[in-house]
Amino acid sequence: MTHLQKKIALISVFASVCIITFVVLTVNDVFKKIVEDQIKEAMLQSLKSGGMAQKLILSFLFVLKNSMIFQSLSVEELLWGYEDPLLKLGQKLLPSNFPDSRFGLFYGANGSDDGLYLFNTGKKNYMDFTKIIMWNGQKSLSWWASNTSNMINGTDGSTFHPLINKDEALYIFAPDICRSLNVVFEKEVQVKGIDAYRFTVPREIFEMDNLKKEGFCPMRNCCLTGVLDISICKKGVPIIISSPHFYNGDQKLVNDIEGMKPDAITHQTFLDLEPMTGVPIRAAKRMQLNIRIEAMDYVVQTSRIRTMIMPVVFLNENAVIDNKLAVKLRKVLHTMKVVTYIPYIILWIGILLFLITLVLLFFMCMYREKKEYTPVSVKLPNIKAH
């Protein structure tokens, strides 16, 4: 009924795995050469509740190592890692707290996996096909504040049950954002001659009131609609996720950063599913990584910083069925439609034959009646009256 599957991710700057392409783009031309160092901001966030002495020491270390909160980095350094002088010093002084002197968004991610999955084969109920039963040996999560928010719902997004209809909500478990979410039908589309249903993430998923209600604010860290603080499941690193350019987010997020231009065509996450098979034939997963920045007393380097959620980078993962597979799928769908219509064809043929039989029986009965009751003419002799 079930089987185990381990998902492996191999990432490179121009990686192409099957038909999935990973594209990394900076979110704002203003920050082409200025990228927020997330580790340093994490250190600042951890010292928010610290004393004056701790903050002064951190400020001194920034000066001592000639290290600034904002740094100019190449794309390769940002993605795959660079050696930071402040982290290098921390590794020498406190190796248990600073195990590595390098940092990058995907540093050490090549060949990694996002966990061990136990899937349902759908043998007893096709609606349960490829639904996740357990992830990393757990039937639920433990990060969030309610049983609902900790549920592992749906599939991993690569497959769904067959015979999808427009009225249902499809659930996906996304370990990279530490939660399950649902997608809903938006419109009918066509991809390489194949009819499909487009499903998108509804806006209310990341509405602030909804996040609070469902338990996604365990530390009351829900600030604005359109963003989700996932630091609770990222070892305390203050990562906040959103759609690129804060699409479907609070207008304040857009206004705080010059150059934000949210647009559904380029920033919306969607799945185009072939409804009969439940196979995704085109998809786009778009996610933006942000960090919360704010000024801190006694840390000189933050004196001119205003509180905001600042974009770091957004990821655009696109997948589309290739031409060969599209041709094969069209043939399979055509065969399935023919097979589907065969019972109806047989039914109509049977009805037609039945009607023909009734008509023939009717005419046969009429013919017999005419034969049995053929009128006989009798000539009577002329009788003359006397």
Side-chain angles (χ1 to χ4, degrees):
M1 180 179 177
T2 58
H3 70 280
L4 290 170
Q5 176 175 315
K6 196 168 185 178
K7 297 172 64 182
I8 304 295
L10 297 174
I11 309 172
S12 64
V13 178
F14 299 103
S16 178
V17 183
C18 297
I19 53 176
I20 301 178
T21 304
F22 295 86
V23 184
V24 181
L25 302 171
T26 54
V27 296
N28 190 352
D29 290 340
V30 176
F31 297 108
K32 277 183 178 177
K33 295 183 180 179
I34 303 176
V35 181
E36 175 66 19
D37 186 335
Q38 295 190 28
I39 291 296
K40 291 175 187 173
E41 184 59 28
M43 294 169 65
L44 292 173
Q45 292 290 330
S46 66
L47 286 174
K48 280 173 63 178
S49 58
M52 179 182 70
Q54 290 175 297
K55 294 173 182 177
L56 286 173
I57 290 171
L58 178 62
S59 182
F60 173 73
L61 286 175
F62 272 108
V63 175
L64 180 66
K65 302 306 293 182
N66 193 27
S67 186
M68 300 300 294
I69 296 175
F70 294 93
Q71 292 194 7
S72 298
L73 301 171
S74 68
V75 173
E76 183 178 0
E77 288 174 325
L78 176 64
L79 294 180
W80 310 120
Y82 67 97
E83 188 166 76
D84 184 87
L86 195 61
L87 293 177
K88 189 174 181 180
L89 176 64
Q91 189 182 33
K92 288 181 180 179
L93 298 176
L94 297 167
S96 59
N97 294 336
F98 297 90
D100 205 318
S101 62
R102 295 180 66 83
F103 169 75
L105 292 176
F106 294 127
Y107 178 59
N110 261 0
S112 62
D113 64 80
D114 63 355
L116 195 63
Y117 290 77
L118 182 65
F119 289 103
N120 194 318
T121 60
K123 184 177 180 180
K124 291 186 176 180
N125 184 354
Y126 79 93
M127 294 289 288
D128 294 330
F129 178 64
T130 67
K131 280 187 177 180
I132 299 169
I133 299 173
M134 288 198 300
W135 176 68
N136 284 340
Q138 299 177 339
K139 291 186 177 181
S140 63
L141 307 175
S142 57
W143 297 309
W144 306 109
S146 70
N147 292 333
T148 302
S149 55
N150 280 317
M151 292 176 69
I152 297 175
N153 290 327
T155 74
D156 64 351
S158 61
T159 53
F160 295 89
H161 66 80
L163 303 178
I164 291 173
N165 65 67
K166 299 176 183 179
D167 299 325
E168 65 180 309
L170 302 175
Y171 284 84
I172 300 170
F173 173 62
D176 49 351
I177 64 171
C178 313
R179 62 164 293 179
S180 300
L181 49 83
N182 67 287
V183 291
V184 295
F185 174 80
E186 183 184 86
K187 60 182 179 180
E188 293 185 9
V189 295
Q190 193 173 77
V191 182
K192 297 186 178 181
I194 303 169
D195 293 329
Y197 293 167
R198 173 160 295 183
F199 283 78
T200 58
V201 179
R203 187 180 190 275
E204 54 267 23
I205 286 289
F206 293 107
E207 282 186 350
M208 184 171 59
D209 292 341
N210 193 51
L211 292 174
K212 290 180 179 178
K213 181 181 177 182
E214 292 193 0
F216 288 104
C217 308
M219 297 179 292
R220 297 183 179 178
N221 52 355
C222 289
C223 45
L224 293 168
T225 291
V227 295
L228 175 66
D229 188 333
I230 58 171
S231 57
I232 194 171
C233 62
K234 299 297 180 183
K235 300 180 180 179
V237 178
I239 298 175
I240 297 174
I241 62 162
S242 69
S243 294
H245 286 240
F246 300 115
Y247 171 72
N248 271 344
D250 193 288
Q251 190 59 36
K252 184 182 184 304
L253 298 166
V254 178
N255 295 339
D256 279 346
I257 307 293
E258 183 181 351
M260 295 288 98
K261 296 178 180 179
D263 175 65
I265 295 175
T266 53
H267 302 142
Q268 185 185 51
T269 293
F270 67 83
L271 277 170
D272 291 343
L273 304 176
E274 197 291 307
M276 189 172 289
T277 60
V279 173
I281 56 177
R282 183 170 59 191
K285 179 183 176 183
R286 290 147 177 173
M287 181 175 66
Q288 181 171 290
L289 302 181
N290 312 279
I291 196 162
R292 186 183 182 86
I293 61 172
E294 57 187 303
M296 293 178 63
D297 296 333
Y298 310 113
V299 180
V300 179
Q301 288 78 5
T302 68
S303 60
R304 299 181 64 183
I305 291 176
R306 58 190 174 93
T307 301
M308 70 172 72
I309 295 176
M310 197 183 87
V312 178
V313 66
F314 86 70
L315 311 176
N316 185 0
E317 301 178 27
N318 288 283
V320 64
I321 190 169
D322 62 35
N323 294 331
K324 289 184 179 179
L325 286 176
V327 171
K328 289 181 179 180
L329 183 56
R330 285 198 298 268
K331 289 180 179 178
V332 169
L333 292 173
H334 178 71
T335 303
M336 290 175 67
K337 286 179 181 179
V338 170
V339 171
T340 303
Y341 289 136
I342 284 176
Y344 297 101
I345 294 171
I346 294 172
L347 178 63
W348 282 108
I349 291 173
I351 292 172
L352 182 62
L353 291 174
F354 178 72
L355 291 174
I356 291 172
T357 303
L358 285 178
V359 171
L360 290 175
L361 287 172
F362 175 76
F363 280 109
M364 286 177 66
C365 290
M366 291 293 293
Y367 176 76
R368 285 178 180 176
E369 287 179 1
K370 286 182 179 180
K371 190 174 181 180
E372 291 173 1
Y373 301 100
T374 302
V376 178
S377 58
V378 180
K379 274 190 175 185
L380 296 174
N382 290 332
I383 301 175
K384 292 181 180 180
H386 295 281

